[in-house]
């Protein structure tokens, strides 16, 4: 009897292509360098030396908190008219990237002596590399071009995007046609089945180093078996026309359907049992959960996207014991409003919440995903969140005042300590957007500071300001236990004139 109908879907956001190393190379950087032959004194390096602003390099942090990049590359493609397109620079600083792109646009691409102009290729040039603790101009002598492997049925692809999409389609069809229905049945799967596919294609086009992931161990083993017998590539990946190994990584989704009613009952019972075992606090049969099930149909529930794995509702309680400031972490405003509306219809007194601190906020989980299925759940008692208190002067009996005080204190600290000469450190004009994040540990110490700015000097200064902040007066608490919390902020400042400009629009990343 045929149990299942497989429908394969594509999830593009997790695709990862990367060149793997030859056995003769230590790593991919050495392989690239072999073909690129970078040189500080070649024609391209001299060209960029005349057109790059030295101050953009002098403060480049090799151990930058944004990302530790020891090389800066420029990639581009060739359009049907053999014109350069899709220029991308990979440094963490937008001003530096802009400078490199603008310089390259004015470079005579014919001087690169590209041996093969093809829309299937991606072309890469090294522009910068490290020398000691400095970033220097050290450009490729030769342009490096790479091409994806070509599998049967994809030979007619005219550009890299179509070739990539064809490979995705082929591997998805292969998995859907070959994965064992018996293993699907053993895993008790219905609905969407997300599978993480990862394998290498060696220099001969053969599939090796298969390392896939599925919801259960037995299904993972089966997925690895199926992917391992994926037909070899007709043409392996190449680097400058020479065969090279290639890593493919993708999440695909199979839609599992069955007309067997007994199996459907087994799946539902199995998932409910696992849910109760693994989440003792979460219960699909609390009064609050049953209340939400009255207003959300099974069809609606299945369509809800859980970007963070679950959806919860958050609220505060005023001095009169009434819930206020409702919010959720739903993906859309429409779903947020719907969930809040349903929650407001529930008799609040049934929750038996006894507020202790007016600055606390409360939350209940509402929707979680288990076995690729959305489930309405809740718990008997709310989670109680107590926000951090930045300094003693911020203590308040009002949660909004407490948060506003912390935000204003951080804004004042940044504004008052930022050097006003910073406008001279950038060629950009108008409003510069800057953002930063940090954590407050369970002792109130500032840790894991990360700063993001258009250039290194502004970024470094911002990072130092945040690191110099004093310990907060009180850390955050969850259900009475001190916890680590993350704070994220962004703001802009105007460098378009010669007066001292106020920082503006300090924004905290939304969240409970």
């Amino acid at each position: 009897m045929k149990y299942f109908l497989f429908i394969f879907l594509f999830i593009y956001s997790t695709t990862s292509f990367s060149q793997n190393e030859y056995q003769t190379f230590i790593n991919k950087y050495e392989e690239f360098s072999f073909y690129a032959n970078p040189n500080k004194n070649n024609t391209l390096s001299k060209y960029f030396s005349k057109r790059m602003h030295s101050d953009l390099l002098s403060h480049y942090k090799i151990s930058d908190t944004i990302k530790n990049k020891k090389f800066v590359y420029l990639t581009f493609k060739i359009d049907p008219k053999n014109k350069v397109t899709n220029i991308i620079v990979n440094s963490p600083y937008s001003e530096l990237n802009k400078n490199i792109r603008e310089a390259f646009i004015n470079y005579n691409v014919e001087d690169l002596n590209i041996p093969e102009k093809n829309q299937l290729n991606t072309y890469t040039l090294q522009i910068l590399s490290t020398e000691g603790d400095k970033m220097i101009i050290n450009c490729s002598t030769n342009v490096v071009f790479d091409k994806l492997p070509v599998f049967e049925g994809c030979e007619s692809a005219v550009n890299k995007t179509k070739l990539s999409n064809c490979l995705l389609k082929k591997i998805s069809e292969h998995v859907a046609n070959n994965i064992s229905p018996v293993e699907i049945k053993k895993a008790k799967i219905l609905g969407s089945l997300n599978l993480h596919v990862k394998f290498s294609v060696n220099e001969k086009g053969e599939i090796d180093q298969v390392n896939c992931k599925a919801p259960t161990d037995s299904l993972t083993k089966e997925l690895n078996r199926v992917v391992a017998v994926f037909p070899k590539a007709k043409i392996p990946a190449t680097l400058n026309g020479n065969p090279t190994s290639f890593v493919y990584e993708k999440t695909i989704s199979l839609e599992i359907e069955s007309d067997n009613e007994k199996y459907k009952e087994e799946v539902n019972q199995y998932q409910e049992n696992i849910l109760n075992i693994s989440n003792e606090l979460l219960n699909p049969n609390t009064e609050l959960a049953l209340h939400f099930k009255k207003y959300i149909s099974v069809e609606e529930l299945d369509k809800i996207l859980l970007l963070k794995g679950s959806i919860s509702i958050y609220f505060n309680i005023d001095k009169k014991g009434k819930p206020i400031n409702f919010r959720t972490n739903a993906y859309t405003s429409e779903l947020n409003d719907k969930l809040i509306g349903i929650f407001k219809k529930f008799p609040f007194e049934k929750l038996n919440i006894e507020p202790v601190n007016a600055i606390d906020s409360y939350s209940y989980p509402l929707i979680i995903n288990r076995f690729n299925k959305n489930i309405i759940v809740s718990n008997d008692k709310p989670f109680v969140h107590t926000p951090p208190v930045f300094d003693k002067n911020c203590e308040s009996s009002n949660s909004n005042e407490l948060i506003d005080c912390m935000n204003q204190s951080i804004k004042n600290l940044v504004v008052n300590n930022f050097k006003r000469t910073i406008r001279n450190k950038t060629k950009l004009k108008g409003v510069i957007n800057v953002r930063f994040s940090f954590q407050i540990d369970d002792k109130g110490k500032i840790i894991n500071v990360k700063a993001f700015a258009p250039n290194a000097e502004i970024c470094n200064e911002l990072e130092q300001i945040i690191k110099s902040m004093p310990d907060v007066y009180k850390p955050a608490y969850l259900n009475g236990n001190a916890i680590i919390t993350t704070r994220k902020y962004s703001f802009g400042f105007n460098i378009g004139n010669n007066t001292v400009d106020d920082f503006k629009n300090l924004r905290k990343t939304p969240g409970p």
Side-chain angles (χ1 to χ4, degrees):
M1 183 175 186
K2 188 173 182 180
Y3 272 90
F4 305 109
L5 169 66
F6 296 98
I7 305 170
F8 58 83
L9 306 173
F10 305 150
I11 302 176
Y12 289 91
S13 60
T14 57
T15 304
S16 174
F17 295 110
S18 62
Q19 296 293 342
N20 205 6
E21 65 271 14
Y22 272 120
Q23 292 182 350
T24 53
F25 296 106
I26 296 174
N27 53 43
K28 63 179 181 179
Y29 297 107
E30 185 180 73
E31 182 181 14
F32 178 88
S33 183
F34 174 80
Y35 290 108
N37 189 22
N39 190 303
K40 294 181 290 185
N41 299 307
N42 64 23
T43 302
L44 193 60
S45 292
K46 291 178 180 178
Y47 174 85
F48 272 99
S49 294
K50 294 177 181 178
R51 289 162 179 81
M52 286 189 61
H53 308 301
S54 59
D55 54 339
L56 294 178
L57 297 183
S58 59
H59 293 84
Y60 197 117
K61 288 183 69 175
I62 306 305
S63 58
D64 200 284
T65 59
I66 299 173
K67 206 165 187 180
N68 188 7
K69 292 184 180 294
K70 295 188 176 182
F71 302 91
V72 171
Y73 300 106
L74 179 149
T75 64
F76 64 92
K77 295 180 181 179
I78 299 291
D79 69 13
K81 296 181 179 180
N82 285 333
K83 300 294 184 182
V84 171
T85 185
N86 296 102
I87 302 172
I88 298 173
V89 184
N90 75 325
S91 97
Y93 305 114
S94 61
E95 188 171 3
L96 176 60
N97 294 345
K98 182 172 183 284
N99 189 180
I100 293 174
R101 281 196 305 270
E102 289 177 347
F104 183 70
I105 287 171
N106 295 315
Y107 188 75
N108 184 1
V109 72
E110 297 300 325
D111 290 343
L112 291 175
N113 297 316
I114 300 175
E116 180 186 307
K117 292 182 179 179
N118 192 321
Q119 292 180 71
L120 292 170
N121 292 335
T122 295
Y123 301 89
T124 305
L125 291 167
Q126 178 179 300
I127 305 299
L128 309 175
S129 67
T130 56
E131 188 175 74
D133 60 351
K134 299 291 184 182
M135 185 66 78
I136 64 168
I137 296 173
N138 185 22
C139 295
S140 299
T141 302
N142 307 310
V143 65
V144 175
F145 55 96
D146 65 273
K147 186 183 297 181
L148 302 178
V150 179
F151 288 82
E152 186 172 358
C154 299
E155 300 91 340
S156 61
V158 296
N159 57 47
K160 190 167 186 174
T161 299
K162 291 184 178 180
L163 184 58
S164 172
N165 290 344
C166 183
L167 173 53
L168 169 63
K169 181 180 178 182
K170 293 298 179 184
I171 189 65
S172 299
E173 288 176 341
H174 175 78
V175 171
N177 291 334
N178 291 279
I179 197 165
S180 168
V182 175
E183 292 300 329
I184 298 289
K185 183 181 177 183
K186 285 168 59 178
K188 299 292 191 294
I189 299 293
L190 273 178
S192 295
L193 170 59
N194 293 326
L195 302 171
H196 185 77
V197 174
K198 184 177 181 180
F199 59 91
S200 295
V201 182
N202 66 22
E203 294 89 342
K204 297 179 180 179
E206 299 165 339
I207 306 302
D208 63 11
Q209 298 182 38
V210 179
N211 186 20
C212 302
K213 297 292 182 183
T216 66
D217 290 342
S218 62
L219 204 53
T220 295
K221 184 178 180 180
E222 170 65 5
L223 180 60
N224 284 331
R225 180 195 69 81
V226 170
V227 172
V229 296
F230 187 55
K232 67 179 292 187
K234 295 188 71 174
I235 304 173
T238 58
L239 196 64
N240 278 34
N242 298 307
T244 187
S245 49
F246 166 83
V247 176
Y248 183 81
E249 187 170 3
K250 186 68 157 183
T251 296
I252 63 174
S253 180
L254 302 182
E255 195 67 21
I256 311 299
E257 298 179 359
S258 174
D259 57 5
N260 187 296
E261 294 300 325
K262 182 180 178 181
Y263 176 73
K264 291 180 181 179
E265 291 178 9
E266 290 176 357
V267 170
N268 290 333
Q269 186 61 52
Y270 174 76
Q271 293 179 353
E272 197 165 303
N273 290 341
I274 293 297
L275 176 65
N276 291 334
I277 292 171
S278 61
N279 296 281
E280 295 181 358
L281 290 175
L282 299 180
N283 187 338
N285 297 309
T286 65
E287 284 193 82
L288 185 60
L290 294 174
H291 171 76
F292 271 86
K293 290 179 182 179
K294 294 178 184 177
Y295 296 93
I296 301 177
S297 68
V298 174
E299 292 75 16
E300 287 178 304
L301 186 63
D302 288 340
K303 294 178 181 178
I304 293 175
L305 181 62
L306 302 184
L307 290 183
K308 296 184 178 180
S310 65
I311 294 178
S312 298
I313 188 163
Y314 304 84
F315 57 93
N316 299 93
I317 298 177
D318 66 15
K319 294 179 180 179
K320 296 180 180 180
K322 301 294 183 181
I324 57 173
N325 301 331
F326 299 98
R327 57 209 181 274
T328 76
N329 61 334
Y331 179 55
T332 66
S333 58
E334 290 79 9
L335 180 58
N336 175 77
D337 294 342
K338 180 181 178 69
L339 295 176
I340 290 174
I342 295 172
F343 185 76
K344 286 182 176 180
K345 293 177 183 178
F346 186 79
F348 186 69
E349 59 274 11
K350 285 190 174 184
L351 296 176
N352 295 317
I353 299 175
E354 297 180 2
V356 176
N357 193 334
I359 66 172
D360 290 340
S361 66
Y362 304 82
S363 71
Y364 284 94
L366 296 178
I367 303 172
I368 64 172
N369 186 279
R370 287 294 182 272
F371 302 97
N372 299 297
K373 181 179 179 181
N374 290 342
I375 304 171
I376 294 176
V377 296
S378 191
N379 48 10
D380 294 323
K381 295 181 180 180
F383 292 106
V384 183
H385 309 260
T386 305
V389 181
F390 189 70
D391 61 41
K392 193 171 183 179
N393 295 327
C394 284
E395 275 201 303
S396 171
S397 60
N398 182 293
S399 61
N400 288 334
E401 289 179 359
L402 177 67
I403 298 300
D404 288 344
C405 180
M406 179 172 183
N407 292 345
Q408 189 60 48
S409 296
I410 292 173
K411 180 178 180 179
N412 290 341
L413 188 147
V414 173
V415 172
N416 293 336
N417 288 279
F418 232 109
K419 296 176 183 177
R420 295 304 169 174
T421 56
I422 201 68
R423 73 180 71 258
N424 301 322
K425 309 300 181 183
T426 176
K427 302 295 182 182
L428 298 177
K429 303 297 180 184
V431 175
I432 296 294
N433 292 315
V434 177
R435 55 195 173 96
F436 58 91
S437 67
F438 59 89
Q439 291 184 312
I440 302 170
D441 72 10
D442 55 2
K443 302 292 191 299
K445 295 185 178 298
I446 305 298
I447 59 174
N448 296 332
V449 175
K450 295 184 179 180
F452 303 81
N455 69 37
E457 190 161 5
I458 297 174
C459 185
N460 296 343
E461 182 172 355
L462 180 60
E463 181 183 326
Q464 290 306 313
I465 291 172
I466 306 306
K467 286 182 176 179
S468 68
M469 289 197 308
D471 295 350
V472 301
Y473 181 57
K474 293 179 181 178
Y477 289 83
L478 178 62
N479 294 339
N481 299 311
I483 59 172
I484 297 174
T485 53
T486 300
R487 313 294 290 187
K488 298 180 180 180
Y489 295 91
S490 61
F491 59 85
F493 63 93
N494 195 328
I495 59 170
N497 53 57
N498 294 320
T499 59
V500 174
D501 304 298
D502 290 331
F503 287 73
K504 63 179 186 178
N505 301 328
L506 178 75
R507 302 180 297 278
K508 179 188 177 293
T509 300

